[in-house]
Amino acid sequence: MDPDFGMRGGGGIMIKDLDNQVATLKALAERRKAGALSRGPLATPPVNEELSQRRVPHTMAITSGKGGVGKTLVTVNLAIQYARQGLKVLLIDADLGLANIDVVLGISTPEYTIQDVLEGHLTLDQVAIQGPEGITILPAASGVAGLSALTEEQKLALMDHIDHWNADFDVVLVDTGAGISENVRFFVLAVERIMVVVTPDPTSVTDAYALMKVLFLNHRASHFDLVINQVRDENEAKDVYRTLSQVADKFLNVVLNFVGSVPEDALLAQSVRAQNPVSITHPDAAVSQSFKKLSASLMRLWREKRQEEGRMIFFWRRLLQDARGQSGS
Ligand SMILES: Nc1ncnc2c1ncn2[C@@H]1O[C@H](COP(=O)(O)OP(=O)(O)OP(=O)(O)O)[C@@H](O)[C@H]1O
Ligand SMILES: [Mg+2]
């Protein structure tokens, strides 16, 4: 079988050289060292000991090969589950999908975005919105181009701002949008875990494979947390997982974790129309319970990984470290 696993059109997602990012990061690291980034609207405080002692949040990017598979719903409901467990949650809305986080949560369209932070006239506190259950939302998308309109340097500066934000989050979830967009490339490098949402629809499965392949080949991503959405039952979820993991095992050197599944449920579509997440309106419904289970499985994975690796380094410090590692310096 073609290793592209029937990618649509021989590659609905083209594999190109995606690693300019590392070169940019390396240049940034050098400029930062030389003090060139310490002035202007992108000014960022230096890393200090106090910061490196701080609680480090669990971070995850939620992505998919194909659009419209439920990323935003999974992200928002996971956020609510964690908030209900008493955790402090930050949601970064890096997507401009059909249903944005603000729409799904029924909060007013954000007036400002991180663009305003990057331009230097607002702080993250001023741009962030409070959502239900004490969730903090960072509207990162602005205009049709969204975050992808930002330069690498601006994105890195954004991460730096977040890293220095005077708010201790336990969990940071980034809704990245679908496919191999700039956002996906950037955030998957900056977070601890990558969640791929997939449905039993064959095009969703092949696109998920194509996405993982690109992230593996070009970005050294080697672990993916799979959530199968809109399933009839657990068997259907397991079938999708088996199909994907068989091809991945054969052609890619990656680990696919089956994190869980979410049933097809009219309550979810209703919740979008009502702009009120199902985990709030129907906490005992099967679909809300599936989000609760997901939140527990993910937390387990985060914790196990931390135990293996010790302290995780967050965002740009890790990016810069990766960039240095790649350059062999
Ligand atoms: N488990 C489900 N059961 C029923 N409907 C669902 C389910 N999951 C998603 N949907 C439907 O799919 C729609 C798209 O979901 P969502 O906006 O979360 O997808 P997305 O992957 O974020 O899309 P985009 O790629 O456009 O950002 C929802 O509005 C809802 O109607
Ligand atoms: Mg979305």
Side-chain angles (χ1 to χ4, degrees):
M1 184 189 188
D2 185 307
D4 278 346
F5 186 40
M7 262 165 55
R8 286 183 290 159
I13 299 164
M14 293 294 291
I15 300 171
K16 292 191 203 131
D17 172 24
L18 304 176
D19 262 346
N20 293 340
Q21 192 167 16
V22 170
T24 314
L25 293 172
K26 185 169 178 288
L28 273 167
E30 277 157 13
R31 287 177 54 201
R32 187 180 297 281
K33 222 160 101 191
L37 286 185
S38 59
R39 292 181 300 278
L42 295 181
T44 48
V47 179
N48 58 38
E49 275 313 301
E50 185 209 329
L51 185 75
S52 62
Q53 295 308 315
R54 227 171 56 184
R55 173 161 54 151
V56 180
H58 295 292
T59 59
M60 165 137 84
I62 294 92
T63 188
S64 67
K66 187 175 184 251
V69 295
K71 290 177 296 299
T72 301
L73 285 173
V74 170
T75 310
V76 158
N77 281 285
L78 272 179
I80 286 162
Q81 295 294 340
Y82 286 128
R84 292 214 152 160
Q85 292 158 31
L87 300 176
K88 244 187 123 184
V89 183
L90 171 66
L91 274 188
I92 301 180
D93 188 358
D95 183 26
L96 270 186
L98 296 173
N100 260 14
I101 282 175
D102 54 310
V103 175
V104 172
L105 287 174
I107 50 182
S108 53
T109 306
E111 201 173 337
Y112 304 108
T113 70
I114 53 98
Q115 192 78 41
D116 297 284
V117 178
L118 295 172
E119 285 165 10
H121 43 263
L122 289 179
T123 64
L124 283 174
D125 275 330
Q126 291 167 316
V127 167
I129 309 171
Q130 286 309 304
E133 310 282 329
I135 296 166
T136 303
I137 299 135
L138 192 57
S142 76
V144 266
L147 252 196
S148 50
L150 300 181
T151 64
E152 288 296 319
E153 186 165 330
Q154 283 177 316
K155 282 188 229 172
L156 208 59
L158 163 66
M159 294 294 99
D160 206 4
H161 278 285
I162 293 171
D163 204 12
H164 288 82
W165 200 353
N166 190 20
D168 269 336
F169 294 108
D170 299 298
V171 173
V172 178
L173 303 174
V174 188
D175 187 358
T176 63
I180 305 292
S181 68
E182 287 293 324
N183 293 343
V184 176
R185 287 176 219 177
F186 180 76
F187 281 110
V188 299
L189 269 176
V191 294
E192 274 176 90
R193 305 199 72 89
I194 306 168
M195 176 192 279
V196 178
V197 180
V198 60
T199 70
D201 170 8
T203 59
S204 160
V205 177
T206 53
D207 287 1
Y209 176 78
L211 171 83
M212 292 188 287
K213 179 172 175 177
V214 173
L215 293 177
F216 167 68
L217 291 177
N218 295 305
H219 298 289
R220 293 166 288 137
S222 57
H223 289 69
F224 299 96
D225 297 331
L226 227 57
V227 169
I228 325 286
N229 185 24
Q230 289 184 270
V231 297
R232 276 193 311 270
D233 52 35
E234 204 53 21
N235 287 338
E236 189 177 36
K238 290 273 161 64
D239 280 348
V240 173
Y241 172 67
R242 214 171 297 119
T243 308
L244 263 172
S245 59
Q246 273 168 3
V247 198
D249 277 352
K250 201 158 173 196
F251 299 109
L252 309 177
N253 190 17
V254 298
V255 176
L256 295 193
N257 297 307
F258 176 73
V259 190
S261 63
V262 179
E264 163 87 36
D265 193 323
L267 278 176
L268 271 178
Q270 261 176 45
S271 76
V272 176
R273 285 194 296 275
Q275 298 194 304
N276 205 352
V278 70
S279 294
I280 292 180
T281 56
H282 299 79
D284 298 325
V287 65
S288 301
Q289 291 302 310
S290 73
F291 289 121
K292 191 170 179 186
K293 253 172 90 180
L294 270 188
S295 74
S297 306
L298 273 173
M299 191 48 82
R300 249 194 320 275
L301 288 170
W302 263 314
R303 291 197 172 130
E304 281 168 14
K305 188 91 189 308
R306 290 248 173 122
Q307 270 170 1
E308 272 169 35
E309 293 187 357
R311 244 183 93 77
M312 287 296 299
I313 305 163
F314 189 38
F315 285 135
W316 73 265
R317 275 176 287 163
R318 175 165 160 217
L319 292 177
L320 294 176
Q321 202 176 58
D322 278 1
R324 288 191 198 106
Q326 274 240 331
S327 69
S329 59

